[in-house]
C-alpha cells in the first residue's frame, strides 16, 4: 500500500484542482448573472426575473453538484462551454491563443538555450583544458533574478522608445517577437546556464574523464559525452523552466499586447468571464503537466541502461572558500533600499499636488506620475508594502512547508503539482474566487511558495530518519509524536528557515508581478508592480517614470542573487 501512496497523492491532487476550477462560479461568492448583464448591457439594477433567466440559460440554476457533473461530461467531449460575455465557443479561441503563446515560448526557449550555452562555454572549455571548472555563476544568477515583466518594461523603454529598433506592440511579424522572446527567455536562460555550468563542472570531476583522456578520445567526443552525462539531471529543472515561462508569458503578452493564451486568460479574469477563465487555466495547467512528463521521459532516454543498472558515476567537487568581499554587494543594496525608503517615507504618496508627468527637480527628485503624484514617495511607501507582504508570505510558507514536508510520501502529489504552477496561474484562480486585492496576492503567492520549502523539508526528513539514533528511537519506545519535536524539527528548522529567507526577494518580485498584472492590490495603492503598470501608458512621454520602479525592482533582484550566491558557496 505504501508504494501506491505517491501515485494516489498525485491523482487526488490533480482531481482536487480540476474540481476547484469547475466550481469557480460558486466559490467566487458573486452572482455571475449580474456580472454578465453589466458586461453585456451595463444594467446595474436587473430584476430578479432577468437574473433567474440568465442563471437558467447558463446552467447555474442546477446547483454546484449538477454543474460539476455537466462540466466534467462536457470536458470529456472536448467542450469547454461558451463565453459568458461574447457567447462564442471557448475552445477554438483558446487553441488559437495557445498557438501564439507556444510560438512565443519556442522563441524564448531558443533564447534560453543560446544564453545557457554561452554561460556554460567557459566552464566546458576549462574542463577540456584540464583547468579548474568551478565558477561564481554571478552573471547567470543575475539573469535568473530578473522578472519577465521588469525586463519587458525595460526593453520597451530602451529598444522601442529610445532607440526605435523594434516595434513596441503587436504580433504582425518577426520583428515583433524579438523583444518578447528575450524578455521571456533571458531569466530561464540564466537559470539553465547556471544549472548546466554546475552539472558540467561536476561531471569533469568524475573518474571516467581521466580514462577517456588517457585513451586519447578527442576533445569533441569528450565534450559531447560530458553534455550527455550532465543533461539528464537537468531535465526536470528544464521542464520547470518551461513551465515558469507559461506564467511569465502572461506578463510579457500583456506588456507587448500579444494575443496569446496568457493575455486571453487575464482578460477573462478582468471581465469575470468564468467559463473562459476556467478553460484557459485548465489548458495552462495541462500544458505544464505535459511539459513535466516530457522532460522526465527525455531524462530516462538520455540515461539509457545506466539508470536500471545502477552504473551512474559519482563526482566529488570541493566548494570554493567564501570571499568576505562578496558581502559588499548585499550590504550596499540594503543601504540603497533603506536610503530610498528614508527619503520617500515622509512624503505623501497619494496627493496629486504636482503637474502630470512633471520632470525631476530638487523638490521632486524622481518626478511625478501620470496623475501628478510624487514618484519617490510612491516607490518608498511601495517598498514597505511589497516587502511587508513578502515577509508575511515567507513566514506562512515556512510553516506550511515544514508541516507538509514532515509527510514526504503523502505530500508528493501536492508538492509536485504546486511546484508546476506559476504564481500568476494561482493568482488567476484566487482572483476568480475573491477578486483582485492585496490579500488575494498574498494568498496566491503563498499557495505556491510553500512547495519548494516542503520539498526541502521532505528531503531533510528522509535523511534524518535514516540516521542511526533516529532509527533506533522507536525500538526504545519513543513514539512519532515525541520523535518529531525532539529529533527531527530541531535538525531541519534552521536549514529550511535560511532557505525561506533566501526566497524573500523572489516572493517580493512575485507579488510585484501580480500587482503589475492587476491581480494584486488595487489603485491607488503604492505597490511596486502597480506603480510600473500605471507608468507604462506614458512610456513614450515620460520613460523615467517607468525606469525608476524598474530600478527599485532590480535592487531587489540583486539582493536575492547576492544572498543566494553567498549561501551556496
Amino acid at each position: 500500500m505504501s508504494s501506491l501512496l505517491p501515485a494516489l497523492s498525485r491523482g487526488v491532487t490533480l482531481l482536487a484542482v480540476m474540481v476547484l476550477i469547475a466550481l469557480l462560479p460558486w466559490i467566487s461568492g458573486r452572482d455571475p448573472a449580474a456580472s454578465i448583464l453589466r458586461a453585456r448591457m451595463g444594467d446595474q439594477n436587473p430584476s430578479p426575473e432577468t437574473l433567474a433567466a440568465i442563471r437558467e440559460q447558463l446552467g447555474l440554476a442546477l446547483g454546484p453538484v449538477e454543474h460539476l457533473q455537466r462540466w466534467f461530461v462536457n470536458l470529456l467531449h472536448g467542450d469547454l462551454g461558451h463565453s459568458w460575455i461574447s457567447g462564442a465557443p471557448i475552445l477554438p479561441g483558446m487553441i488559437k491563443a495557445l498557438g501564439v503563446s507556444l510560438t512565443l515560448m519556442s522563441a524564448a526557449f531558443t533564447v534560453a538555450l543560446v544564453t545557457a550555452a554561452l554561460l556554460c562555454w567557459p566552464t566546458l572549455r576549462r574542463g577540456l583544458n584540464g583547468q579548474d571548472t568551478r565558477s561564481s555563476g554571478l552573471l547567470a544568477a543575475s539573469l535568473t533574478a530578473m522578472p519577465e515583466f521588469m525586463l519587458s518594461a525595460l526593453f520597451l523603454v530602451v529598444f522601442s522608445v529610445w532607440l526605435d529598433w523594434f516595434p513596441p506592440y503587436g504580433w504582425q511579424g518577426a520583428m515583433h517577437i524579438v523583444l518578447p522572446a528575450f524578455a521571456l527567455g533571458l531569466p530561464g536562460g540564466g537559470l539553465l546556464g547556471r544549472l548546466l555550468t554546475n552539472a558540467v563542472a561536476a561531471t569533469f570531476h568524475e573518474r571516467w574523464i581521466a580514462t577517456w583522456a588517457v585513451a586519447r578520445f578527442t576533445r569533441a567526443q569528450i565534450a559531447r559525452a560530458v553534455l550527455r552525462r550532465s543533461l539528464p539531471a537537468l531535465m526536470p529543472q528544464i521542464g520547470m523552466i518551461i513551465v515558469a515561462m507559461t506564467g511569465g508569458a502572461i506578463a510579457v503578452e500583456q506588456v507587448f499586447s500579444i494575443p496569446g493564451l496568457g493575455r486571453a486568460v487575464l482578460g477573462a479574469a478582468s471581465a469575470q468571464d468564468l467559463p473562459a477563465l476556467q478553460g484557459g487555466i485548465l489548458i495552462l495547467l495541462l500544458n505544464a503537466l505535459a511539459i513535466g512528463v516530457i522532460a522526465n521521459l527525455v531524462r530516462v532516454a538520455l540515461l539509457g541502461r545506466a539508470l536500471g543498472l545502477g552504473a551512474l558515476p559519482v563526482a566529488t567537487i570541493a566548494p570554493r572558500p567564501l570571499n568576505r568581499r562578496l558581502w559588499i554587494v548585499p550590504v550596499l543594496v540594503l543601504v540603497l533600499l533603506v536610503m530610498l525608503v528614508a527619503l520617500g517615507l515622509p512624503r505623501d504618496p497619494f496627493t496629486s499636488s504636482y503637474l502630470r508627468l512633471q520632470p525631476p527637480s530638487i523638490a521632486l527628485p524622481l518626478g511625478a506620475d501620470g496623475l501628478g503624484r510624487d514618484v519617490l514617495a510612491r516607490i518608498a511607501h511601495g517598498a514597505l508594502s511589497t516587502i511587508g507582504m513578502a515577509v508575511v508570505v515567507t513566514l506562512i510558507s515556512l510553516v506550511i512547508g515544514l508541516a507538509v514536508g514532515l509527510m514526504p510520501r503523502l505530500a508528493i502529489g501536492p508538492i509536485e503539482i504546486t511546484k508546476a504552477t506559476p504564481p500568476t496561474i494561482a493568482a488567476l484562480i484566487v482572483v476568480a474566487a475573491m477578486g483582485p486585492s492585496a490579500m488575494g496576492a498574498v494568498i496566491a503567492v503563498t499557495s505556491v511558495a510553500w512547495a519548494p520549502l516542503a520539498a526541502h523539508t521532505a528531503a531533510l526528513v528522509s535523511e534524518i530518519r535514516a540516521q542511526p539514533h533516529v532509527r533506533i528511537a522507536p525500538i526504545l519506545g519513543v513514539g512519532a509524536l515525541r520523535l518529531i519535536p525532539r529529533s527531527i524539527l530541531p535538525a531541519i528548522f534552521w536549514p529550511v528557515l535560511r532557505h525561506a529567507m533566501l526566497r524573500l526577494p523572489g516572493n517580493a518580485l512575485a507579488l510585484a508581478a501580480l500587482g503589475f498584472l492587476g491581480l494584486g492590490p488595487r489603485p491607488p495603492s503604492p505597490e511596486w508592480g502597480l506603480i510600473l503598470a500605471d507608468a507604462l501608458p506614458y512610456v513614450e512621454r515620460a520613460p523615467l517614470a517607468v525606469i525608476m520602479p524598474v530600478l527599485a525592482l532590480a535592487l531587489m533582484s540583486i539582493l536575492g542573487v547576492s544572498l543566494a550566491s553567498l549561501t551556496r558557496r
Side-chain angles (χ1 to χ4, degrees):
M1 178 63 183
S2 61
S3 60
L4 296 177
L5 275 179
L8 182 63
S9 176
R10 294 185 183 98
V12 170
T13 304
L14 182 58
L15 180 62
V17 172
M18 295 182 69
V19 170
L20 175 65
I21 294 173
L23 293 180
L24 280 177
W26 282 268
I27 297 173
S28 66
R30 296 186 297 271
D31 188 352
S35 301
I36 292 168
L37 284 176
R38 282 194 297 269
R40 291 179 179 176
M41 298 175 288
D43 192 350
Q44 299 294 328
N45 298 299
S47 65
E49 293 78 11
T50 304
L51 293 177
I54 292 292
R55 294 189 195 100
E56 186 69 30
Q57 177 187 353
L58 300 177
L60 298 177
L62 298 174
V65 176
E66 293 83 357
H67 180 81
L68 181 64
Q69 293 175 348
R70 177 182 290 184
W71 190 81
F72 272 105
V73 170
N74 291 338
L75 185 62
L76 291 175
H77 291 85
D79 182 10
L80 296 179
H82 291 72
S83 168
W84 284 354
I85 306 303
S86 66
I90 292 170
L91 187 58
M94 289 296 177
I95 294 298
K96 182 179 180 181
L98 177 62
V100 174
S101 294
L102 291 178
T103 301
L104 172 60
M105 289 172 59
S106 299
F109 190 61
T110 301
V111 172
L113 288 178
V114 173
T115 303
L118 293 176
L119 292 171
C120 181
W121 169 246
T123 299
L124 182 64
R125 184 183 59 191
R126 288 197 299 270
L128 293 173
N129 292 333
Q131 300 171 347
D132 186 6
T133 57
R134 292 174 298 184
S135 172
S136 66
L138 186 58
L139 177 58
S142 300
L143 291 174
T144 302
M146 298 297 174
E148 293 87 355
F149 76 97
M150 188 189 80
L151 287 177
S152 297
L154 181 63
F155 290 170
L156 189 65
V157 172
V158 175
F159 297 106
S160 292
V161 177
W162 287 351
L163 299 178
D164 195 23
W165 287 356
F166 299 98
Y169 308 112
W171 189 254
Q172 284 81 40
M175 295 296 289
H176 288 82
I177 203 173
V178 176
L179 293 184
F182 273 89
L184 187 58
L186 284 179
L191 178 56
L192 180 58
R194 189 176 188 184
L195 295 172
L196 183 59
T197 298
N198 292 339
V200 167
T203 301
F204 272 112
H205 284 73
E206 294 175 353
R207 294 180 178 179
W208 64 270
I209 295 292
T211 304
W212 280 39
V214 172
R216 297 188 179 278
F217 280 83
T218 66
R219 290 162 58 94
Q221 290 174 319
I222 295 176
R224 286 195 298 269
V226 166
L227 290 175
R228 178 165 182 173
R229 171 69 184 94
S230 303
L231 282 176
L234 300 185
M235 290 312 302
Q237 295 297 329
I238 292 175
M240 294 300 298
I241 290 171
I242 301 175
V243 168
M245 286 183 180
T246 63
I250 297 177
V252 174
E253 290 171 4
Q254 182 71 4
V255 172
F256 293 102
S257 298
I258 297 173
L261 181 61
R263 192 161 181 253
V265 175
L266 192 62
S270 301
Q272 297 182 19
D273 190 355
L274 290 185
L277 181 60
Q278 287 173 322
I281 292 174
L282 183 62
I283 292 173
L284 287 172
L285 285 175
L286 292 178
N287 182 54
L289 292 175
I291 290 170
V293 171
I294 293 172
N296 284 325
L297 292 176
V298 173
R299 172 180 175 271
V300 173
L302 287 174
L303 286 174
R305 291 181 298 172
L307 183 63
L309 296 175
L312 294 177
V314 178
T316 55
I317 179 170
R320 281 187 173 183
L322 179 63
N323 186 348
R324 294 185 178 181
R325 289 180 296 180
L326 292 176
W327 283 102
I328 295 175
V329 175
V331 170
L332 182 60
V333 171
L334 280 175
V335 169
L336 290 175
L337 286 173
V338 170
M339 288 178 58
L340 184 67
V341 172
L343 291 173
L345 203 57
R347 308 168 74 94
D348 190 345
F350 300 106
T351 302
S352 301
S353 55
Y354 300 95
L355 297 176
R356 295 177 68 250
L357 305 177
Q358 183 173 331
S361 63
I362 295 178
L364 197 64
L366 299 183
D369 65 5
L371 296 178
R373 297 171 299 191
D374 188 341
V375 173
L376 175 60
R378 291 186 63 76
I379 291 178
H381 285 263
L384 294 183
S385 171
T386 303
I387 296 174
M389 289 192 297
V391 170
V392 173
V393 167
T394 302
L395 294 178
I396 297 175
S397 301
L398 173 63
V399 174
I400 297 174
L402 286 170
V404 175
L406 290 173
M407 305 173 290
R409 296 182 65 82
L410 192 61
I412 187 170
I415 290 174
E416 286 185 354
I417 291 180
T418 303
K419 286 176 68 176
T421 305
T424 310
I425 297 179
L428 290 170
I429 299 176
V430 173
V431 166
M434 57 184 297
S437 64
M439 179 62 69
V442 169
I443 293 174
V445 178
T446 304
S447 67
V448 296
W450 64 267
L453 301 179
H456 188 189
T457 301
L460 292 176
V461 168
S462 299
E463 294 178 7
I464 292 169
R465 287 190 182 276
Q467 295 175 356
H469 72 283
V470 176
R471 297 190 66 175
I472 202 173
I475 301 176
L476 300 177
V478 180
L481 294 179
R482 292 174 58 194
L483 185 65
I484 290 175
R486 289 190 177 186
S487 300
I488 296 179
L489 272 179
I492 68 175
F493 180 76
W494 292 110
V496 179
L497 176 62
R498 287 193 294 270
H499 183 182
M501 291 301 103
L502 284 175
R503 291 190 171 272
L504 177 61
N507 291 335
L509 293 172
L511 289 164
L514 299 187
F516 174 79
L517 293 173
L519 303 175
R522 308 307 297 156
S525 172
E527 193 275 330
W528 279 354
L530 195 56
I531 294 172
L532 181 56
D534 290 341
L536 270 183
Y538 311 102
V539 63
E540 296 183 2
R541 296 172 54 194
L544 188 63
V546 176
I547 290 295
M548 295 316 301
V550 166
L551 291 179
L553 290 165
L555 288 176
M556 184 61 65
S557 302
I558 294 170
L559 178 62
V561 169
S562 303
L563 293 177
S565 298
L566 285 170
T567 57
R568 287 173 181 167
R569 289 177 169 268

